[in-house]
Amino acid sequence: MTLVHEPTPGTNAASDPYADAADPYAVALREGGALYLRRHGGRRQRLELARWCAEPDAADDTLLVRCTGPTLDVGCGPGRLAAALTRRGVAALGVDPVPAAVARSRAAGASALCRSVFEPLPGEGRWAVALLADGNIGIGGDPARLLDRMHTLLAPGGLLLVETDPQDVHERFAARVENAGGGHGGAFRWARIGTPSLRRLAPAHAFTPTESWTHTKRTFAALRRH
């Protein structure tokens, strides 16, 4: 999961995995501990860091079996999905702007690039599948903009697999990541969107909804690029 500012277009995130040493997300990736998403002026929710750092579970497998060609894992975090695809013989690349996440992805055996999804990426317009797992449709705080970007990354007819919010919401907000002691990183834009709202939004951005499903309370949708 990507939980940081999106870097300025045209710049690359630092390759040093300790360049973000003060960021609670990066620290938790290396050392463990509880992590929370705090909305600006509002409530906080605990993030599923342990699950992101574990092996893929049964719900993750419902995504992995649909990755039948070269796959781009956007906001790959610790890289559990990209690494699992690599072990299965599927060409996969993880992308994440957090150096600690990319370092962990590579240690897990995944190919991973330390870069924002909004920066130039390898294979633009040729990926068969793209993943937005763990709520990463929220990256940048604007699902419509992100869908437009995913359209440029996928090949014609390519498949976009999205983990959606279990509720039928479509909201954008400012947030920050906090640890259990209240230490926090900088504010960033984020979004939540449920499957019904995503299915309504997709056609205006040249995607056709093809499938949706639920597994162990996690919800997913598949969109086909026009």
Side-chain angles (χ1 to χ4, degrees):
M1 189 172 188
T2 296
L3 291 171
V4 295
H5 288 287
E6 285 294 324
T8 302
T11 64
N12 201 342
S15 58
D16 176 5
Y18 299 101
D20 49 8
D23 179 70
Y25 175 51
V27 172
L29 283 173
R30 290 190 291 266
E31 303 175 8
L35 206 61
Y36 303 88
L37 184 71
R38 169 81 73 177
R39 293 189 183 213
H40 178 69
R43 62 181 175 84
R44 74 177 189 177
Q45 68 180 83
R46 184 159 182 167
L47 298 171
E48 297 183 83
L49 183 67
R51 179 172 65 78
W52 301 342
C53 294
E55 289 297 306
D57 60 18
D60 292 327
D61 283 338
T62 69
L63 291 173
L64 296 173
V65 297
R66 290 168 168 83
C67 297
T68 56
T71 299
L72 183 67
D73 183 6
V74 175
C76 65
R80 76 185 189 285
L81 300 180
L85 288 171
T86 299
R87 292 193 296 270
R88 295 180 183 204
V90 178
L93 176 67
V95 176
D96 200 292
V98 178
V102 171
R104 184 152 184 162
S105 295
R106 292 171 177 169
S111 295
L113 185 65
C114 197
R115 196 171 298 178
S116 164
V117 66
F118 296 109
E119 294 182 281
L121 294 174
E124 297 207 12
R126 300 196 299 275
W127 292 99
V129 183
L131 290 172
L132 289 170
D134 304 322
N136 279 335
I137 185 66
I139 290 172
D142 187 347
R145 178 187 178 220
L146 186 55
L147 286 177
D148 288 340
R149 176 57 175 146
M150 301 311 296
H151 189 275
T152 69
L153 293 169
L154 285 164
L159 188 65
L160 178 61
L161 300 174
V162 182
E163 183 166 355
T164 56
D165 196 276
Q167 302 178 50
D168 185 15
V169 296
H170 187 180
E171 58 179 355
R172 301 162 60 185
F173 51 91
R176 68 188 189 189
V177 174
E178 294 183 352
N179 59 27
H184 60 83
F188 57 90
R189 300 297 303 175
W190 197 251
R192 295 169 62 219
I193 187 167
T195 295
S197 294
L198 180 63
R199 291 175 65 91
R200 291 190 292 267
L201 180 66
H205 300 274
F207 280 98
T208 299
T210 60
E211 187 181 10
S212 58
W213 68 98
T214 300
H215 194 291
T216 56
K217 299 183 180 180
R218 293 169 62 191
T219 55
F220 306 91
L223 310 176
R224 185 73 66 179
R225 181 195 188 278
H226 290 181

